[in-house]
Amino acid sequence: MSSPRVYLHALGMVNALGSGLDEIVRGLASGIAPGMGHASLGGAQGAFVGRVTAALELAPPAHLARYDCRNNRLLLAALAQIEPAVQAACARYGAGRVGVVLGTSTSGVGAGEAHFLPQASEVANAGNAPFDYVQMEIGSAAPFAAAALGLAGPAFTISTACTSSGKAFASARRLIHQGFCDAVVVGGVDSLCELTVRGFAALESTSVVRTNPMSANRAGINVGEAAAVFLMSRDEGPVALVGAGESSDAHHISAPDPSGAGGELALRAALRDAGIAPESIGYVNLHATATRKNDEMEARLMARVFPHGVPTSGTKPLTGHTLGAAGATELGFAWLTLARDDVPLPRHLWDGEADPELPRLDLIEDARYLAAGRYVMSNSFAFGGSNVSLVLGR
């Protein structure tokens, strides 16, 4: 039996495609992402990344100045886009009944790098820039957002690597189902930093050119940064979160189970929770990192869950892999196909050279729109075998 529905009423986004839904929709349609390209990050010279190019001029209010860092400015840019809906929820339910659940994996680590690297290099006047450890404390994102918005409900941060913000939706829904909240600000945020770029490079998981998911020539990820936030409540709206499935296969600290068995459990749990058959899904946003092992695993499990095929795409060539923000960002793209009639299914950008060792998926390379009555799915998989799948419906 499916769980009582909750609805996603408003969406704020900022990523390599742009800031705000209209700009991002145009980028999705054109396949042009201004923030994708080579950039220098401290000692990581020439990395190909997904950078937010929009000006992040919105600073925390004075009483939260100690939180000021790029990660939190990304978050504020996304929150500003949904603040009217959040304040309306506060007026209706009271600030104590509106919670915050966010995912992140880096928080403000970049702020710590900027502060301490000059000291390590013995640069004159090093360490004079304002810095507070709270800027990079992983758990600070949700409490900061709650304080910035004046919310007094439960506020906590989830950090499960690349499933962080996907799992945030399952957690936020539980807060509503169990009566702790009437509405929840839910999503994720992550900012670029040298730690993650160098870390993934050390794992030989990064590509020096634009990422190429599901291709025989795939060579790894482009690390990206983004923020994506929704307002969730049980009040009826155009788009509902109808299913969520989570699993943990713990196959390896960084490599996925090659069979995709754990990921398949999450997909089937989401479908079961939604009370629908695989044939009801009209689009799947793939995790599609373009690493050798992730794409192999995901292609195999998709072929088993959807033996008759389903339109799919991996959107990381347009944003980079935004790590803790990936689940919410990619669910946002799926949400747009339901919430707006002018949004086609996101295209799969790649070189078109299919890997003969993988099951062939229905990758979207032309203009298509979601068929009437269909649902959409978004998948996220992470280090340590953490898996989550979410299903949205009109």
Side-chain angles (χ1 to χ4, degrees):
M1 179 174 296
S2 61
S3 303
R5 289 189 174 184
V6 296
Y7 296 82
L8 300 176
H9 298 281
L11 169 61
M13 301 181 79
V14 55
N15 53 53
L17 285 162
S19 180
L21 298 190
D22 289 340
E23 192 170 346
I24 287 169
V25 165
R26 288 194 295 271
L28 281 173
S30 66
I32 297 173
M36 294 299 297
H38 290 96
S40 295
L41 294 170
Q45 301 297 318
F48 201 101
V49 299
R51 182 184 288 279
V52 170
T53 59
L56 300 176
E57 298 175 351
L58 186 60
H63 69 288
L64 298 174
R66 62 193 288 253
Y67 289 85
D68 193 9
C69 62
R70 183 172 181 82
N71 200 70
N72 286 335
R73 288 201 177 205
L74 285 169
L75 180 54
L76 287 172
L79 289 172
Q81 298 170 36
I82 68 166
E83 187 169 5
V86 175
Q87 295 307 324
C90 283
R92 178 172 181 180
Y93 299 117
R97 298 292 300 171
V98 183
V100 182
V101 185
L102 296 175
T104 191
S105 72
T106 64
S107 189
V109 168
E113 291 174 348
H115 182 76
F116 291 111
L117 183 60
Q119 294 186 45
S121 304
E122 298 182 354
V123 175
N125 301 317
N128 290 337
F131 177 75
D132 191 307
Y133 178 75
V134 75
Q135 295 171 2
M136 58 180 282
E137 201 281 311
I138 292 291
S140 68
F144 166 73
L149 292 168
L151 307 180
F156 58 89
T157 308
I158 293 173
S159 189
T160 54
C162 305
T163 57
S164 299
S165 58
K167 291 176 75 67
F169 287 84
S171 294
R173 186 176 68 161
R174 283 191 285 270
L175 287 177
I176 293 175
H177 282 173
Q178 294 169 6
F180 293 106
C181 294
D182 293 306
V184 182
V185 175
V186 57
V189 58
D190 251 333
S191 50
L192 283 168
C193 64
E194 190 174 349
L195 175 71
T196 49
V197 173
R198 282 181 173 266
F200 279 102
L203 292 172
E204 299 181 344
S205 296
T206 55
S207 173
V208 297
V209 295
R210 188 186 291 246
T211 190
N212 195 10
M214 295 296 167
S215 167
N217 303 313
R218 65 191 185 277
I221 72 171
N222 307 140
V223 180
E225 62 181 2
V229 289
F230 290 84
L231 178 67
M232 175 191 291
S233 81
R234 64 166 58 90
D235 295 335
E236 288 192 10
V239 180
L241 174 63
V242 300
E246 300 175 86
S247 70
S248 180
D249 51 69
H251 171 76
H252 186 272
I253 192 171
S254 60
D257 177 350
S259 72
E264 182 176 350
L265 285 173
L267 268 68
R268 294 195 185 278
L271 291 167
R272 187 167 58 252
D273 185 36
I276 60 175
E279 292 76 19
S280 296
I281 299 292
Y283 168 68
V284 178
N285 187 289
L286 302 169
H287 191 58
T289 63
T291 59
R292 302 301 302 179
K293 293 182 177 180
N294 179 91
D295 285 12
E296 176 185 5
M297 172 275 292
E298 189 168 16
R300 296 192 189 287
L301 75 86
M302 286 292 297
R304 292 194 300 270
V305 176
F306 300 98
H308 303 297
V310 62
T312 64
S313 63
T315 49
K316 289 179 174 66
L318 295 171
T319 62
H321 188 347
T322 61
L323 309 179
T329 296
E330 292 161 17
L331 187 70
F333 296 155
W335 181 90
L336 284 166
T337 69
L338 290 165
R340 291 178 51 159
D341 293 335
D342 63 330
V343 178
L345 299 178
R347 286 184 292 172
H348 188 87
L349 298 183
W350 66 322
D351 63 6
E353 296 190 27
D355 188 337
E357 299 298 318
L358 303 185
R360 190 66 184 266
L361 303 181
D362 180 11
L363 300 172
I364 300 166
E365 299 182 71
D366 52 0
R368 296 194 231 174
Y369 289 82
L370 188 66
R374 297 287 180 170
Y375 297 80
V376 297
M377 172 182 277
S378 183
N379 300 328
S380 297
F381 310 112
F383 282 178
S386 176
N387 312 297
V388 62
S389 182
L390 302 170
V391 178
L392 303 179
R394 287 194 176 98

